[in-house]
Amino acid sequence: MTEKHRHLGELLYKAGLVKKEVLIEAIKTSKSSNKRLGQVLVEQGVINEDILTKVLAKQFGIEYINVDKAAIPPDATKLIPEELIKKHNILPLGSSNGKLKVIIGDPSDLEAMDAIRFRLNTEPECYLGNPTKIRNYIEKSITQVETTQEDDRLRHSIDATAAELADIGNELHEVALRAQEAGGDDDAPIIRLVNLIIDNAYFMRASDIHIEPMADRVRIRYRVDGVCMERDNIPKSMQAALVTRFKILSGMDIAEKRLPQDGRIKREIGGQDIDFRVSSLPGVHGPSVVLRILRPDAVNIGIESLGFEHDNYEMFQRIITRPNGIFLVTGPTGSGKTTTLYAALQELNKPDKKIITAEDPVEYNFPGMNQCQVKEEIELTFDKILRAMLRQAPNIILVGEIRDGVVADVAIQAALTGHLVFSTLHTNDAPSAITRLIDMGVKPFLVASSIQAIMAQRLIRVICKKCKVVDENPDPFYLDALGITREMLQKTPVYKGAGCTQCSGTGYKGRLAIFEMFELNTEVRELAFSKAPTTELRKAARASGMRTLRQDGIIKVLKGITTPVEIVKTTGSEEEIIGA
């Protein structure tokens, strides 16, 4: 029997990669869910995608290639039309002897091979690579170029539109309002301006848009990778029309100018339906409007892409697959807590699990989960939803935030009665979460017995890969703060971003998280039971192997992922407090 005719399960079993009992269950799941066996095994965490790809290569008799190490020519993507590359997830390597070399992610995709033969009149020579890595490479090499071009186009357009508005002056205020009340016209300058502000922010990867009235102008700022960047200034005469347009789009009352308001906008950009959560706040110079951009891809990044080191990743996977107990994620607003919990829930979201969430607000909708929105105005609070949840027989519960002792008590009772509970808490570090819960009025023995683990996290900016260079003269202040010596630099240099068009000159593009994983053991539970102070809990956690936020950040500095400045800035205040 040749390898290519052997069953995937047989190859995995013979290689000692999957146990017989696990394989039998996976085959049953594959048939019932109509998914491929390999996909099921990867989703269950039995094997990773790299191992699956290597075994598939053996099964189909195709040579495996590591996409990360493959010598892909810079202009290789020009050999095949972009729509074919994206549709079939294939990556050209070059051509020789009349054959086109391509890396494919799915060896059973015969349609892709036929398309190449038909469109290019050539015979493909196939190699098999990790499909996720192929997709990531395509995104970096093709999609980012398109994004940059679109960003430049929108930037020129918004400048031109702002200039047009400045020329029109005060007269446009009444004209724009009349046009909006009549239904508006996409060619109207104020409408084009609002559309361009939104589109420009999206293509810049911004998380928020800030429309801020000043004494003499309206300032437009975008928050990119956690940092506000001033992008445009709109004439003061256009303030009323601009704010009114945003209120109309988000369903707010344009006549109400004294009270804060909330709304939502749904808009299609780049082929995706994007939601915007809008907030209006009255101010001295007029209402400030902030749009939070809710991207579907922002919470679909997967656990592997969050930034875990290998040991923390294994601990995280072990904790979220336990049958009961509480798993807390702590950190300030905007530290990525929700994204982390969503990534965990998506991994656990299987047909045999019932997941219910209580959120305020529900920002992203996920198929297969029962999501409930907190509504304080009708007294539909976290604790009421939680009590009702328990009558729905869930396996997994997500509580958006533990805000008081009542919610904490109900969540703990749920954990003690056989449910796995995820939630967030606002504390500086992981050990202080125990003290915080006790201060809320939760009995110490309940805290000690119900909590499985606590994880603190922060988001750090990642050095732009396009302009990444060795930092020849790193600031000694930041090196000393992190304990990085000159001897260490001789072996492992630190890097920085020189600044380029891809990162708008900042030297950073994208963000990852740093983590503090604190798994409770017997000693810590005893300390919690005896109401020990946070300092003692922290010492016990460190003694049990917990790595602090700063220590996790140092690892990422030495790996060339981020800079010493970013880690000190992100962890400075809390690390000084805890003496790390």
Side-chain angles (χ1 to χ4, degrees):
M1 180 186 291
T2 60
E3 295 286 8
K4 68 191 322 183
H5 290 113
R6 292 171 68 179
H7 192 273
L8 174 64
E10 182 184 356
L11 290 172
L12 290 167
Y13 177 68
K14 289 281 180 69
L17 296 170
V18 180
K19 293 181 179 178
K20 185 177 180 180
E21 309 79 41
V22 175
L23 183 60
I24 291 170
E25 287 301 316
I27 291 171
K28 291 179 181 177
T29 303
S30 172
K31 291 178 179 178
S32 63
S33 62
N34 202 24
K35 292 181 179 179
R36 295 181 182 179
L37 175 61
Q39 181 186 352
V40 171
L41 291 169
V42 171
E43 288 178 352
Q44 292 178 348
V46 179
I47 57 173
N48 61 40
E49 203 167 29
D50 279 327
I51 291 175
L52 174 62
T53 306
K54 290 176 182 177
V55 177
L56 284 173
K58 189 175 183 182
Q59 182 190 19
F60 282 84
I62 304 175
E63 184 179 340
Y64 168 80
I65 193 165
N66 188 334
V67 178
D68 292 333
K69 298 179 180 178
I72 303 170
D75 59 346
T77 51
K78 297 178 182 178
L79 296 171
I80 300 178
E82 286 183 14
E83 67 270 18
L84 283 185
I85 291 175
K86 292 178 179 178
K87 180 181 178 181
H88 297 288
N89 198 35
I90 55 179
L91 194 56
L93 275 175
S95 59
S96 64
N97 300 325
K99 287 190 175 184
L100 180 65
K101 296 182 178 180
V102 292
I103 307 176
I104 61 174
D106 183 357
S108 62
D109 187 1
L110 301 179
E111 183 187 346
M113 302 303 101
D114 290 339
I116 292 173
R117 292 187 188 100
F118 178 75
R119 294 280 295 273
L120 305 178
N121 194 27
T122 185
E123 187 66 27
E125 182 180 319
C126 298
Y127 300 84
L128 193 61
N130 184 314
T132 300
K133 291 180 179 178
I134 294 174
R135 194 174 301 110
N136 291 341
Y137 187 92
I138 292 170
E139 288 293 325
K140 284 190 289 186
S141 60
I142 295 178
T143 309
Q144 284 185 1
V145 172
E146 294 173 349
T147 299
T148 303
Q149 292 171 345
E150 183 70 9
D151 184 29
D152 291 340
R153 182 188 68 77
L154 287 168
R155 195 173 302 151
H156 291 312
S157 185
I158 197 170
D159 289 341
T161 304
E164 181 184 350
L165 290 173
D167 292 338
I168 293 173
N170 295 329
E171 186 180 347
L172 183 59
H173 171 52
E174 294 181 7
V175 175
L177 284 178
R178 284 201 301 270
Q180 289 160 12
E181 289 169 1
D185 180 359
D186 284 343
D187 292 330
I190 193 67
I191 296 175
R192 290 208 312 277
L193 176 61
V194 168
N195 291 342
L196 287 167
I197 288 172
I198 293 174
D199 290 348
N200 204 13
Y202 173 82
F203 287 113
M204 283 185 64
R205 303 176 297 103
S207 60
D208 304 274
I209 305 171
H210 297 262
I211 317 295
E212 301 169 318
M214 315 290 282
D216 57 346
R217 68 191 195 281
V218 180
R219 181 171 66 175
I220 309 296
R221 293 197 294 172
Y222 300 151
R223 188 180 295 278
V224 181
D225 294 334
V227 177
C228 277
M229 301 169 59
E230 186 168 331
R231 296 296 299 171
D232 301 285
N233 286 292
I234 306 300
K236 183 71 174 176
S237 59
M238 300 316 306
Q239 175 179 312
L242 187 67
V243 171
T244 300
R245 179 62 183 166
F246 278 112
K247 284 188 173 182
I248 289 172
L249 287 174
S250 56
M252 296 182 189
D253 181 359
I254 62 172
E256 179 56 73
K257 296 179 172 61
R258 299 168 300 169
L259 298 174
Q261 294 188 72
D262 294 310
R264 290 182 88 103
I265 298 173
K266 184 181 280 289
R267 181 180 173 83
E268 185 178 332
I269 307 176
Q272 279 190 315
D273 286 329
I274 309 298
D275 277 331
F276 298 83
R277 200 173 79 217
V278 189
S279 170
S280 172
L281 180 68
V284 174
H285 300 296
S288 168
V289 178
V290 176
L291 288 80
R292 168 65 61 87
I293 304 175
L294 306 176
R295 302 167 178 264
D297 53 359
V299 290
N300 288 322
I301 60 176
I303 294 174
E304 299 87 349
S305 305
L306 294 174
F308 283 109
E309 297 302 321
H310 182 69
D311 55 345
N312 280 346
Y313 174 76
E314 288 188 338
M315 186 186 299
F316 184 83
Q317 287 280 10
R318 188 173 67 250
I319 291 164
I320 66 172
T321 53
R322 289 178 179 172
N324 54 56
I326 293 183
F327 179 48
L328 291 175
V329 181
T330 76
T333 302
S335 59
K337 301 186 297 295
T338 301
T339 300
T340 299
L341 289 178
Y342 275 149
L345 288 181
Q346 284 178 279
E347 183 141 321
L348 298 171
N349 189 15
K350 303 289 191 305
D352 61 333
K353 301 287 185 186
K354 184 177 177 70
I355 301 175
I356 306 182
T357 75
E359 304 170 65
D360 184 21
V362 174
E363 295 186 347
Y364 301 94
N365 294 308
F366 295 98
M369 297 186 201
N370 301 273
Q371 296 173 270
C372 190
Q373 167 82 52
V374 171
K375 294 179 181 177
E376 298 282 354
E377 64 272 16
I378 59 171
E379 297 184 358
L380 183 60
T381 56
F382 273 118
D383 56 303
K384 282 190 177 179
I385 294 173
L386 258 175
R387 289 189 176 95
M389 274 184 185
L390 299 180
R391 294 191 287 274
Q392 297 275 314
N395 300 102
I396 300 164
I397 293 171
L398 168 67
V399 184
E401 182 186 344
I402 293 180
R403 296 177 178 175
D404 52 46
V406 176
V407 177
D409 272 329
V410 181
I412 285 173
Q413 291 300 328
L416 293 174
T417 52
H419 303 86
L420 181 61
V421 180
F422 294 98
S423 191
T424 68
L425 199 63
H426 289 288
T427 60
N428 278 339
D429 65 334
S432 58
I434 293 175
T435 311
R436 176 72 187 278
L437 287 172
I438 294 173
D439 289 343
M440 283 182 177
V442 181
K443 294 180 175 59
F445 77 90
L446 291 176
V447 174
S449 58
S450 63
I451 295 179
Q452 296 290 342
I454 305 164
M455 184 175 77
Q457 71 176 67
R458 300 289 187 278
L459 291 177
I460 56 164
R461 292 183 293 171
V462 174
I463 299 171
C464 174
K465 293 178 181 178
K466 186 82 173 178
C467 60
K468 181 178 177 179
V469 295
V470 174
D471 191 350
E472 301 291 352
N473 297 298
D475 192 323
F477 171 80
Y478 295 105
L479 295 178
D480 292 343
L482 298 180
I484 298 175
T485 63
R486 293 292 172 184
E487 291 75 17
M488 294 168 68
L489 289 180
Q490 290 176 359
K491 296 179 181 178
T492 309
V494 296
Y495 292 83
K496 66 177 182 179
C500 65
T501 55
Q502 289 282 326
C503 60
S504 303
T506 62
Y508 298 96
K509 187 169 183 182
R511 288 192 291 177
L512 283 178
I514 52 174
F515 299 99
E516 187 173 270
M517 285 288 290
F518 175 30
E519 188 173 15
L520 274 67
N521 56 22
T522 304
E523 181 187 356
V524 173
R525 293 185 194 281
E526 289 175 355
L527 288 172
F529 183 73
S530 60
K531 291 188 178 181
T534 306
T535 50
E536 288 188 34
L537 290 167
R538 192 175 296 118
K539 285 179 183 177
R542 295 282 295 274
S544 67
M546 183 190 79
R547 188 163 56 239
T548 66
L549 289 167
R550 175 167 287 186
Q551 288 170 337
D552 200 44
I554 292 170
I555 292 173
K556 288 175 173 60
V557 169
L558 297 177
K559 283 186 173 182
I561 295 171
T562 190
T563 63
V565 178
E566 184 70 9
I567 296 302
V568 172
K569 184 183 74 173
T570 306
T571 64
S573 58
E574 53 268 17
E575 292 290 350
E576 287 163 10
I577 292 170
I578 67 175

